[in-house]
Amino acid sequence: MDENSASVSQGYLFVKRLIDILGALIGLLLSFPLFLIVSIMYLFGEAKGPIFFKQKRYGKSGELFNIYKFRSMVVNADDKLKQNKELYQKYIKNNYKLEPEEDPRITKLGRFLRRTSLDELPQLINVLKGDMSLVGPRPVVQEELREYNNKASDFLSVKPGITGYWQVCGRSSVGYPERVNLELHYVYNQSLIFDIKILILTIWIVILKKGAY
């Protein structure tokens, strides 16, 4: 592992966790009315069903946890995609994503939530629980972890984040293997100043809706 990631101070980790807790609490309080409005929308139409989408992702030290999002897809979305073998192979080859207009899983409400990044709001719950941080590498599924090869242990040495260096450098417009380099750059250079810079850039990018799928 790079010596920079090994030398992260306990003081930095303490302050980072404190910021995570305060940030998640404030974020959940401010967004509570939005949670209510979005929840009502899941009572009707094609979006009808569970409010939250849960998926197993790899966290720090390789521990699996359930990541939370507002559900942007139909119920049993993964099964629906895998039924179309050609489209599923395209999904894998295209860095585990499809263009919104060709993805049969995404609902109209889901497209809006993704464009505005509002689908990520429930991850504040993950931050409060300690599964994630406000800033860090994005948590991945098993297929994506393979992209990190012999650097997987370095990648998993840091708590994953709602936002991170990959997001502010292009997000969905930057795929593998470039994404690996960006995520590892954060791992090897993490600091309080770097985190604050990423948070500020994230706000700007969300306003501009850059890189959102």
Side-chain angles (χ1 to χ4, degrees), residues 176-206:
Y176 295 109
E178 292 83 2
R179 175 175 168 178
V180 171
N181 295 329
L182 292 172
E183 299 285 39
L184 290 176
H185 176 79
Y186 174 81
V187 171
Y188 299 146
N189 297 278
Q190 55 186 306
S191 70
L192 191 57
I193 293 175
F194 198 10
D195 287 351
I196 293 172
K197 179 181 177 181
I198 288 171
L199 286 171
I200 293 172
L201 287 172
T202 298
I203 294 171
W204 179 244
I205 287 170
V206 168

Side-chain angles (χ1 to χ4, degrees), residues 131-149:
D131 299 325
M132 295 175 64
S133 176
L134 292 177
V135 180
R138 280 300 289 172
V140 297
V141 295
Q142 187 174 15
E143 292 88 346
E144 293 177 286
L145 188 60
R146 298 192 188 107
E147 300 285 346
Y148 290 84
N149 298 312

Side-chain angles (χ1 to χ4, degrees), residues 67-92:
I67 191 173
Y68 300 113
K69 293 186 176 185
F70 282 129
R71 183 172 55 84
S72 61
M73 298 183 179
V74 296
V75 178
N76 298 322
D78 288 340
D79 292 338
K80 186 170 184 176
L81 177 61
K82 289 177 181 178
Q83 288 173 3
N84 188 328
K85 293 182 179 180
E86 183 178 341
L87 196 61
Y88 183 62
Q89 288 302 313
K90 182 177 181 180
Y91 165 77
I92 294 174

Side-chain angles (χ1 to χ4, degrees), residues 32-70:
F32 182 70
L34 191 58
F35 268 78
L36 288 178
I37 293 170
V38 173
S39 298
I40 291 171
M41 293 180 179
Y42 284 97
L43 298 174
F44 311 98
E46 62 174 350
K48 187 176 181 179
I51 298 169
F52 297 116
F53 167 75
K54 295 191 297 183
Q55 186 182 50
K56 292 289 185 182
R57 298 283 181 100
Y58 283 92
K60 187 176 181 180
S61 302
E63 293 187 9
L64 288 169
F65 70 96
N66 280 317
I67 191 173
Y68 300 113
K69 293 186 176 185
F70 282 129

